Amino acid sequence: MSSPKRPEAAQAYWQENLRLMLILLAIWFFISFGCGILFVEQLNAIQFFGFPLGFWFAQQGSIFGFLGLIAFYVWKMNQLDRKHDFHED
Amino acid sequence: MDTQTLIYLFVGATFALYIGIAIYTRAGSTSEYYVASKGVHPVLNGMATGADWMSAASFISMAGIISFVGLDGSVYLMGWTGGYVLLAMCLAPYLRKFGKFTVPDFIGARYYSSTARLVAVICVIFISFTYVAGQMRGVGIVFSRYLEVDINTGVIIGMAIVFFYSVLGGMKGITYTQVAQYCVMMFAYMVPAIFLSMMLTGNPIPQLGFGSTVLGSDTYLLDKLNGLGTELGFNIYTDGTKSTIDVFFITMALMVGTAGLPHVIVRFFTTPTVRDARKSAAWALLFIAILYTTAPALAAFARTNLLTSIPGVSYAEVPSWFKTWEKAGLVAWLDKNDDGKIQYGPGAPFAGAPTFDKAPGEHGERQVTNAPTPAATELYVDRDIMVLANPEIANLPGWVVALIAAGGLAAALSTAAGLLLVISTSISHDLLKSTLMPKISEKQELLAARVAAAVAVVVAGIFGIYPPAFVAQVVAFAFGLAAASFFPAIVLGIFSKRANKQGAIAGMIVGLTFTFAYIVYFKFINPSLDNAQHWWFGISPEGIGTLGMIFNVIVTYVVSMITAPPPAQIQELIEDIRIPRGAGAAIAH
């Protein structure tokens, strides 16, 4: 195992990576544990198309959200790799 | 052709396909056997992960469970998909960069300790065996329902197929058979769902039909379902009955457990680059989400069909699917008030699963010999028929029934194969090569892997034929233990440079022991106390892995802080896995 050649760049890359990850995980927590569990009763009072909103988040919305989060993460990380010149090939 | 012939044809054709793929992609080296030479395209890896992940339980049972519990069923939907977010962001890219073959490899190297590796190996084997026993049973059940052989013969046929392609093909063979299995099972799941959605709402996309109005009226499907249920005395479908804290903890345990399950993690060792590992997590979730967003729709459709076509109907006039599944023993009716009509309501009509008398009852129904309960309900419905009976309910032709049989087998076989590979790898690579006999050659290691896989298939088959009474109850084990043991050790190993050997070992042991003890206490030692009054903070054994994980993290942190930090080369290793460049091909060893 070789240590990264440019420690400052590695540090900056890692900090940005952490920030992105924490923001995305906060959204992850909000749409599933927040909307689908903790506030499900309050949200169920709101009608969203044919669904009570809380129920929709718990059974469909959160899954669509997870997909969006990973897709965004993949796209953003590829950018980050290039920006800091840590991309492969 | 009649339906039975079609079933033999479909199942036979898919088996031939899997075996063909296994022969074509057989593994010649340990790298091919363990991680398919790290040459799997991210889209294909995503599909394989999907098949690996979605078991007989996801395919057959999940929609049925949701159908009966409504909102409370969301724990499975969120729990079994949300874990992929954690996998994609916290584990997959870093473990791929690390570049070896197994989870214990990582734990052993990162915590510079063969003790830590051994603890990890024991967890891997225990978790995987727990899981695989249920899969073999699933194979047997599908066989017995559709192919008119008994469950044991079914298990043996299933063993022979899995044996063939996992022993021969290793990870490479399994990956490409799983891709085929994914296609078979998704096709089988979606066709009846699309037809049911059109039948009930006129919308061909089940995810949208779920939120549409019922065909020929202005009422939303879910409102109609809530109304039908309330009339019969059931809880409101879109409201929960479980306590919020329990739902929270179960969902978290399932999510974290998903991200910590070794047969899922190892799939991310097979991609060519770190970038592909991330991409492949996204594809995996997409392929899984297709089934997981259809399941709740299917659950609502099936529930609506059940509640509109059965309660209050006299036995002489029930739809034909009712009698088909009564014959199979999955539906039963006990005429408590002697009016010849089927009363349906909350509670169970009699204790346990139905046992039938030889002589038919007064109305020609199969007479049940179980002792009736005081509840007014007269109907027993096995949850699995909510998926299995759909083709008949939707009046679909025989080939769709055949498709469901092939799909159920694909779901069970693909998961079983993935688990067996993990078990064989743990024994040949982690236990023999890395711990007990480091001098064996690659050829011997490969042979050991194959022998271990063969033994594991046989053991799994025996569990399938003689299921330990607790098989159904120990699924909580697999997730809870994965959540309480691996997940914190791996994540802390990547994100903290301070976490050291002593901390990780202590943390894993505490998390594991606590979770294990809590589940064993409530499930086996004192099952009569297994209710919310006696649970800690109202957390059920299904959700206790979350607390185990929290304990693991705290113990790891505290012990790491009071002992020496990891040596310099480990700090370098951590810095190295944090950046993607230089992942390269599989590291020879």
Side-chain angles (χ1 to χ4, degrees), chain B residues 224-548:
Chain B
K224 182 175 178 191
L225 186 52
N226 281 338
L228 287 169
T230 331
E231 257 171 57
L232 295 168
F234 289 102
N235 295 310
I236 294 176
Y237 190 79
T238 53
D239 283 348
T241 54
K242 278 192 175 142
S243 73
T244 303
I245 184 166
D246 199 25
V247 172
F248 190 99
F249 271 74
I250 294 177
T251 308
M252 187 64 94
L254 293 178
M255 279 195 193
V256 176
T258 301
L261 279 177
H263 71 288
V264 177
I265 294 180
V266 76
R267 289 236 51 101
F268 295 94
F269 289 88
T270 64
T271 58
T273 62
V274 173
R275 192 176 61 223
D276 286 339
R278 294 196 287 247
K279 240 192 243 170
S280 136
W283 283 108
L285 183 64
L286 175 70
F287 291 129
I288 292 166
I290 297 173
L291 190 143
Y292 273 63
T293 52
T294 304
L298 200 58
F301 299 151
R303 185 80 181 154
T304 310
N305 277 329
L306 179 73
L307 295 188
T308 46
S309 63
I310 301 299
V313 173
S314 76
Y315 181 78
E317 287 158 17
V318 290
S320 68
W321 63 263
F322 188 94
K323 291 189 177 164
T324 311
W325 293 96
E326 186 187 19
K327 228 178 274 165
L330 297 182
V331 173
W333 172 55
L334 178 62
D335 196 7
K336 290 180 179 174
N337 59 357
D338 283 320
D339 66 350
K341 289 182 180 169
I342 300 169
Q343 265 75 40
Y344 185 40
F350 43 75
T355 47
F356 296 100
D357 205 336
K358 283 215 176 80
E362 198 185 330
H363 305 277
E365 82 276 16
R366 290 188 75 184
Q367 193 145 293
V368 177
T369 55
N370 305 48
T373 58
T377 183
E378 302 177 341
L379 181 66
Y380 169 88
V381 185
D382 186 294
R383 291 170 170 187
D384 288 353
I385 74 156
M386 297 315 234
V387 168
L388 300 176
N390 279 336
E392 267 175 287
I393 294 175
N395 290 318
L396 296 174
W399 62 266
V400 181
V401 179
L403 204 56
I404 295 254
L409 284 171
L413 289 175
S414 58
T415 308
L419 289 159
L420 289 168
L421 187 85
V422 164
I423 295 172
S424 94
T425 308
S426 305
I427 292 171
S428 66
H429 183 70
D430 297 321
L431 219 53
L432 289 183
K433 175 77 184 177
S434 306
T435 316
L436 299 176
M437 301 155 68
K439 290 204 182 86
I440 54 173
S441 68
E442 181 173 335
K443 237 185 171 163
Q444 287 169 311
E445 191 185 338
L446 193 57
L447 180 69
R450 291 194 156 125
V451 173
V455 174
V457 172
V458 174
V459 175
I462 292 169
F463 277 144
I465 293 173
Y466 305 103
F470 52 88
V471 154
Q473 306 193 322
V474 291
V475 181
F477 262 147
F479 286 93
L481 296 182
S485 58
F486 295 132
F487 185 79
I490 300 173
V491 169
L492 289 171
I494 295 163
F495 290 89
S496 159
K497 285 192 196 171
R498 190 64 181 76
N500 64 12
K501 170 167 94 176
Q502 293 86 344
I505 296 173
M508 279 197 285
I509 291 175
V510 167
L512 201 67
T513 322
F514 167 76
T515 310
F516 190 83
Y518 192 90
I519 297 176
V520 168
Y521 180 78
F522 282 113
K523 290 292 181 193
F524 306 119
I525 300 177
N526 252 328
S528 60
L529 296 184
D530 190 11
N531 56 55
Q533 282 166 352
H534 297 96
W535 297 335
W536 283 20
F537 314 111
I539 303 167
S540 61
E542 285 73 25
I544 203 64
T546 307
L547 202 58

Side-chain angles (χ1 to χ4, degrees), chain B residues 190-212:
Chain B
M190 295 310 291
V191 168
I194 289 168
F195 277 95
L196 276 177
S197 183
M198 298 224 308
M199 205 172 86
L200 276 168
T201 68
N203 195 324
I205 301 168
Q207 286 85 344
L208 298 178
F210 192 21
S212 305

Side-chain angles (χ1 to χ4, degrees), chain A residues 1-2 13-14 17 21 28 33 37 44 50-51 58-60 62 66-67 70 73 77-78 81 85-88, chain B residues 70 74 78 81-82 84 88 94 207 210-211 220 222 238 255 273-275 278 282 293 296 576 578 580-581:
Chain A
M1 294 285 165
S2 61
Y13 171 81
W14 185 243
N17 177 0
M21 192 183 90
W28 164 81
F33 293 94
I37 297 175
N44 268 351
F51 300 97
Q59 301 217 326
Q60 300 227 287
S62 55
F66 298 152
L67 261 178
I70 300 190
Y73 173 78
M77 283 308 284
N78 286 345
D81 289 351
D85 192 27
F86 285 125
H87 57 281
E88 296 152 290
Chain B
S74 316
M78 287 190 281
T81 52
Y84 281 85
Y94 310 109
Q207 286 85 344
F210 192 21
Y220 283 117
L222 284 167
T238 53
M255 279 195 193
T273 62
V274 173
R275 192 176 61 223
R278 294 196 287 247
T293 52
D576 187 70
R578 286 178 177 182
R581 182 171 289 174

